[in-house]
């Protein structure tokens, strides 16, 4: 796909980048492409820190090309639009999530599933159509094709809304696709971190009964009193797990470390669905017999398409759903990464880009 900037001169930008597998981030100058005829240029106000930012900065998936500017939970205010942009105007509140490009012609793209396009272009660390590297939201400005820009409703706070662009859609999409969004259903949520707490909030807004499944007994009060979960199971407590066997219509498993799936499958009713959205580095062990004996399904899901992401944001605004966040300045990002590694955050770090990212 050809890109035809109306102003050929690239735009100077600055942010923070990792330059090697230590993952340490430091100030970095780079260029954004000029605003093309279908592009939206916006001033970044906030950017959430996703666990994949940490994986990418440290090259834990083996695909990182340095230098890398992370960040795909990006929100801000439009400062310029191309001449053929129809959906946005200067001053609009907008966001960009995990994707900035796709082929627009494959079966997945035609079904509004750009997130499964074989040629999808990630928001950072990828090659854009013009051969340039994509840089993420730990920076001052963003330029994106309007197709991949999300409209943020005025009543949705930008700081707490930023993590919805990854964590929010990652749990919303499987709830919808797997039919786990019907009032009165019983949903299990494994893990109470950035993804897990969003799953609880969306499921409760959909009218579901929600039980949190966690290794940490000290999260019970938080889960039930603050997030509104209806039940809490300690995954290592065999008596608790046994008492809940066969009671759940579905489970959203957000844990990104290897753990036993057999007890989770046992919690499902006949025809129940265990949906994995966490990505452990090593494969899970999956026993066949418990699946056969209850016609149960183990599935997966990865973020969502642009149409569904907009739907999710609008749903969140309607139901006052935002992430629980800790807002940090840009120069705290390396400490935040260390804390994220230890799961020491409730439940998402968000960088206050506008007030703390200084030119250098």
């Amino acid at each position: 796909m050809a890109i035809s900037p109306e102003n050929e001169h690239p735009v100077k930008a600055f942010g923070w980048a990792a330059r090697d597998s230590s993952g340490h981030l430091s100030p970095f100058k780079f260029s954004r492409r000029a605003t093309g005829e279908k592009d939206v240029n916006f001033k970044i106000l906030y950017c959430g820190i996703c666990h994949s930012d940490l994986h990418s900065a440290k090259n834990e998936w083996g695909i990182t090309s340095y230098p890398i500017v992370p960040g795909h939970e990006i929100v801000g205010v439009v400062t310029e639009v191309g001449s053929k942009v129809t959906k946005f105007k200067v001053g609009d509140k907008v966001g960009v999530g995990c994707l900035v490009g796709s082929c627009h012609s494959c079966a997945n793209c035609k079904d509004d599933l750009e997130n499964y396009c074989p040629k999808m272009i990630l928001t950072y660390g990828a090659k854009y159509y013009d051969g340039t590297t994509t840089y993420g939201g730990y920076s001052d400005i963003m330029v994106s094709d309007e197709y991949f820009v999300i409209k943020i409703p005025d009543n949705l706070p930008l700081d707490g809304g930023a993590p919805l662009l990854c964590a929010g859609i990652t749990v919303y999409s499987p709830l919808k696709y797997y039919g786990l969004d019907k009032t009165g259903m019983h949903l299990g949520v494994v893990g109470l971190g950035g993804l897990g707490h969003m799953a609880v909030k969306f499921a409760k807004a959909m009218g579901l009964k929600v039980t949190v499944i966690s290794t940490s007994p000290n999260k019970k009060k938080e889960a039930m009193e603050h997030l509104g979960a209806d039940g809490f199971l300690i995954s290592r407590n065999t008596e608790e797990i046994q008492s809940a066997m066969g009671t759940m219509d579905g489970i959203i498993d957000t844990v990104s470390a290897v753990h036993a799936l057999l007890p989770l499958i046992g919690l499902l009713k006949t025809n129940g669905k265990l949906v994995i959205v966490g990505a452990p580095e090593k494969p899970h062990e999956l026993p066949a017999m418990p699946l056969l004996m209850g016609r149960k399904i183990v599935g997966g899901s990865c973020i969502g398409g642009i149409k569904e992401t907009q739907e999710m944001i609008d749903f969140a605004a309607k139901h006052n759903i935002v992430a629980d966040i800790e807002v940090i300045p840009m120069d705290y990002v390396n400490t935040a990464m260390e804390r994220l590694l230890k799961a020491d955050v409730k439940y998402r770090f968000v960088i206050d880009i506008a007030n703390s990212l200084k030119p250098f």
Side-chain angles (χ1 to χ4, degrees):
M1 184 180 292
I3 301 296
S4 53
E6 299 182 338
N7 172 0
E8 294 292 344
H9 300 292
V11 180
K12 290 181 180 178
F14 58 91
W16 281 49
R19 291 171 169 82
D20 56 50
S21 60
S22 71
H24 182 82
L25 291 126
S26 58
F28 175 64
K29 291 181 180 178
F30 62 101
S31 295
R32 296 279 189 199
R33 70 175 182 274
T35 305
E37 60 186 16
K38 292 186 177 180
D39 283 338
V40 172
N41 188 321
F42 65 93
K43 174 184 169 68
I44 298 173
L45 299 183
Y46 297 98
C47 184
I49 297 181
C50 176
H51 219 285
S52 54
D53 297 349
L54 181 60
H55 289 305
S56 298
K58 291 178 173 287
N59 195 25
E60 290 175 351
W61 291 329
I63 57 172
T64 299
S65 177
Y66 296 104
I68 187 167
V69 177
H72 59 207
E73 299 177 344
I74 313 165
V75 293
V77 176
V78 176
T79 55
E80 183 184 14
V81 296
S83 60
K84 293 187 178 178
V85 169
T86 59
K87 295 190 293 182
F88 302 97
K89 64 183 186 303
V90 171
D92 282 352
K93 296 177 182 177
V94 295
V96 166
C98 303
L99 303 176
V100 292
S102 70
C103 77
H104 297 290
S105 59
C106 70
N108 286 330
C109 283
K110 289 176 180 177
D111 282 342
D112 297 311
L113 296 171
E114 300 86 3
N115 50 314
Y116 299 121
C117 173
K119 295 180 180 178
M120 70 171 177
I121 300 173
L122 298 176
T123 300
Y124 64 84
K127 290 294 179 190
Y128 201 63
Y129 305 116
D130 57 5
T132 59
T133 299
T134 59
Y135 293 115
Y138 296 11
S139 57
D140 62 334
I141 58 170
M142 186 73 189
V143 180
S144 174
D145 183 317
E146 75 164 329
Y147 187 90
F148 295 91
V149 178
I150 304 299
K151 172 81 170 161
I152 308 293
D154 284 338
N155 69 314
L156 190 70
L158 289 178
D159 52 0
L164 298 176
L165 293 165
C166 176
I169 188 60
T170 295
V171 297
Y172 180 90
S173 185
L175 287 172
K176 300 293 283 189
Y177 175 76
Y178 288 98
L180 299 174
D181 59 346
K182 310 295 186 293
T183 300
M185 279 186 162
H186 186 190
L187 181 78
V189 175
V190 187
L192 196 63
L195 293 177
H197 94 289
M198 293 307 323
V200 174
K201 291 189 178 196
F202 276 108
K204 289 303 297 179
M206 291 170 181
L208 276 64
K209 175 185 176 183
V210 180
T211 296
V212 171
I213 305 159
S214 174
T215 58
S216 308
N218 60 359
K219 290 187 176 180
K220 181 174 182 177
K221 184 177 180 182
E222 178 81 10
M224 298 187 72
E225 294 183 13
H226 176 61
L227 295 173
D230 302 283
F232 188 91
L233 297 175
I234 300 166
S235 55
R236 296 192 177 109
N237 186 320
T238 51
E239 287 183 12
E240 284 192 12
I241 296 295
Q242 196 67 35
S243 70
M245 296 286 269
T247 63
M248 298 180 186
D249 297 284
I251 295 173
I252 301 289
D253 185 347
T254 71
V255 175
S256 57
V258 174
H259 54 284
L261 298 185
L262 181 59
L264 302 178
I265 294 168
L267 293 171
L268 294 170
K269 296 176 182 177
T270 299
N271 301 323
K273 299 162 185 174
L274 169 60
V275 186
I276 295 170
V277 296
E281 292 177 28
K282 296 178 182 177
H284 283 300
E285 185 176 310
L286 182 62
M289 194 59 72
L291 300 179
L292 307 184
M293 299 312 293
R295 199 162 65 180
K296 298 174 183 178
I297 291 172
V298 177
S301 187
C302 182
I303 55 173
I306 300 304
K307 181 180 178 182
E308 189 174 48
T309 301
Q310 186 67 63
E311 176 190 301
M312 176 276 305
I313 285 286
D314 294 342
F315 181 93
K318 180 180 178 182
H319 295 275
N320 298 312
I321 297 172
V322 291
D324 288 8
I325 59 171
E326 180 177 335
V327 178
I328 62 166
M330 188 72 247
D331 60 9
Y332 187 79
V333 67
N334 289 303
T335 304
M337 290 289 194
E338 291 171 14
R339 286 179 54 194
L340 183 60
L341 199 55
K342 297 181 285 190
D344 177 24
V345 58
K346 286 185 179 177
Y347 285 94
R348 207 66 156 183
F349 287 116
V350 173
I351 306 168
D352 183 353
I353 299 288
N355 291 311
S356 68
L357 176 60
K358 307 299 182 191
F360 48 89

